[in-house]
Amino acid sequence: MKATNGFCGAIGNTPLIRLDSLSDTTGCEILGKAEFLNPGGSVKDRAALGMVEDAERRGLLKPGGTIVEGTAGNTGIGLTLVGNAKGYRTIIVIPNDQSPEKLELLRAIGAEVRPVPPAPYKEPHNYNKIAARIADEMENAFWANQFDNTANAQIHYATTGPEIWEQTDGKISAFVAAVGTGGTLAGVSRFLKDQSESVATYCADPYGAAMWSWFKYGHFDFDDGDSVAEGIGQGRVTENVESARVDDAFRVSDRQMMATLNILLKDEGLLLGPSAGVNVCGALKVALAGGPGQTIVTILCDGAQRYSSRLFNQEWLAENDLSPENLSLEELLIHLKDDQNEPSEK
Ligand code: PMP
């Protein structure tokens, strides 16, 4: 029998997709890890399973228990489905500016959803702090704490990294990913560096986040601008980011991200969400910086359906100055070559 062991057994072992037009045009192998094909629809299924099984091993989550988490959506979806499969209840605290599809989906799959106004991390009403308090006040409840729970990066070290290494026959020369919690970038970069120090590792960062500033300059001074990309954009060194091994970083604007998403759809047949657009645009920047001959891997985090009320809505796109320009890949590459990513002074 080749059946998987339930929902949890179907997480991971995702295909590595050669992005044909991007590879042929740049002279690099540009490869996307198809995390949108996880059974819960995103890269966060791995983190959800990793954190739940770690909590079970450490006796923090017992039969009939409740998983509580502050999440921008995908971790909540992963935790709820893993919880359903393993017999746990789930409470999800989510900023109320996230896409309505994600809130509806969370409710539909059985999570108790508590939307809260967005608040910075340092505020007591930040969604993570609220989740921590709810778990603290309940019997047999576990706060997953995805940002600072290193079981998150660990599952990527144990699964995503080795899968990429095997799927490229150890020929990977560069890895690039954006940071939400930092679990993916930390776990994969550490695993790849442990196999070969010569694998270059990069962070692709949206504007309004501070990871580009942190990895490039070691400070948080350059966090200007803003981004509509959900699930990424970090302003502090989380416990997961702490263990990342990153050589350099690129910033990706929302217009560059949208142009990349359009090309992925039109040229590759892949209908992907914003963070995948940031990641693939980051891979194009790595291709331009290092030139032809590289084997570059990035993460296709989730699909566009999760954002349809925004990405497929001309009014919303216009309001956010993101109306499609329909750039060809060649035009996008010329634009990216001219974009020097210089820090803008505060
Ligand atoms: N893309 C999406 C759509 C996400 O939900 C997340 C997780 N917040 C990420 C990327 C970033 O992954 P990580 O938390 O491992 O940094």
Side-chain angles (χ1 to χ4, degrees):
M1 286 265 287
K2 288 195 175 148
T4 68
N5 198 3
F7 175 89
C8 297
I11 295 173
N13 287 313
T14 53
L16 185 66
I17 301 178
R18 179 177 190 269
L19 303 175
D20 285 335
S21 70
L22 277 59
S23 300
D24 295 344
T25 307
T26 59
C28 292
E29 290 297 292
I30 301 187
L31 311 171
K33 187 80 170 134
E35 292 302 293
F36 61 95
L37 293 177
N38 277 304
S42 88
V43 65
K44 300 303 299 206
D45 287 1
R46 293 188 195 251
L49 182 63
M51 293 188 295
V52 167
E53 293 199 332
D54 179 68
E56 288 174 335
R57 277 192 296 273
R58 293 196 288 138
L60 301 173
L61 191 54
K62 297 180 201 74
T66 302
I67 303 164
V68 186
E69 183 61 326
T71 158
N74 281 331
T75 306
I77 294 162
L79 284 171
T80 305
L81 295 172
V82 167
N84 287 353
K86 284 176 170 280
Y88 303 115
R89 212 162 74 81
T90 319
I91 299 177
I92 300 300
V93 185
I94 184 166
N96 63 13
D97 60 351
Q98 300 301 295
S99 70
E101 293 88 324
K102 283 200 283 199
L103 272 82
E104 279 159 24
L105 180 56
L106 279 164
R107 289 196 180 99
I109 63 179
E112 184 184 328
V113 182
R114 304 205 188 163
V116 296
Y121 180 72
K122 55 183 187 303
E123 303 286 334
H125 284 94
N126 170 271
Y127 65 111
N128 286 300
K129 304 244 172 88
I130 295 175
R133 282 199 296 276
I134 292 170
D136 202 39
E137 287 160 11
M138 272 180 80
E139 276 294 306
N140 195 10
F142 162 67
W143 175 40
N145 188 15
Q146 57 168 333
F147 292 92
D148 296 309
N149 179 348
T150 53
N152 170 0
Q154 192 51 39
I155 193 80
H156 290 288
Y157 186 95
T159 67
T160 325
E163 289 170 30
I164 290 171
W165 185 253
E166 274 170 35
Q167 287 169 315
T168 58
D169 286 331
K171 292 193 183 81
I172 176 172
S173 44
F175 176 74
V176 55
V179 166
T181 63
T184 311
L185 183 57
V188 175
S189 66
R190 241 185 317 123
F191 179 85
L192 294 173
K193 291 281 190 192
D194 282 352
Q195 309 317 301
S196 166
E197 282 290 334
S198 70
V199 178
T201 50
Y202 301 95
C203 168
D205 212 27
Y207 280 77
M211 291 297 99
W212 173 76
S213 185
W214 172 249
F215 287 122
K216 223 171 160 65
Y217 303 105
H219 60 61
F220 300 114
D221 292 358
F222 305 125
D223 61 355
D224 54 293
D226 209 350
S227 172
V228 300
E230 294 176 29
I232 57 172
Q234 184 51 257
R236 70 182 176 98
V237 178
T238 64
E239 293 283 325
N240 284 295
V241 169
E242 181 80 43
S243 68
R245 301 229 15 231
V246 173
D247 296 316
D248 205 349
F250 297 92
R251 286 219 276 197
V252 175
S253 72
D254 278 2
R255 294 185 77 80
Q256 293 170 350
M257 173 262 287
M258 283 303 295
T260 308
L261 286 178
N262 235 359
I263 289 163
L264 284 166
L265 176 60
K266 302 272 166 59
D267 295 1
E268 307 279 352
L270 292 165
L271 182 57
L272 299 170
S275 65
V278 169
N279 282 350
V280 174
C281 191
L284 289 174
K285 290 188 181 206
V286 173
L288 289 171
Q294 301 176 81
T295 298
I296 305 164
V297 176
T298 192
I299 303 287
L300 310 179
C301 315
D302 66 0
Q305 291 88 342
R306 218 151 258 192
Y307 312 92
S308 57
S309 69
R310 296 180 175 183
L311 292 183
F312 308 152
N313 174 343
Q314 294 307 323
E315 257 169 50
W316 186 88
L317 290 171
E319 270 165 32
N320 287 280
D321 196 24
L322 292 173
S323 294
E325 294 166 274
N326 291 320
L327 292 186
S328 66
L329 177 56
E330 287 75 12
E331 287 166 334
L332 175 62
L333 288 169
I334 290 167
H335 162 78
L336 294 180
K337 252 184 223 159
D338 292 341
D339 178 33
Q340 294 300 311
N341 262 306
E342 285 301 315
S344 30
E345 297 301 329
K346 282 192 111 176

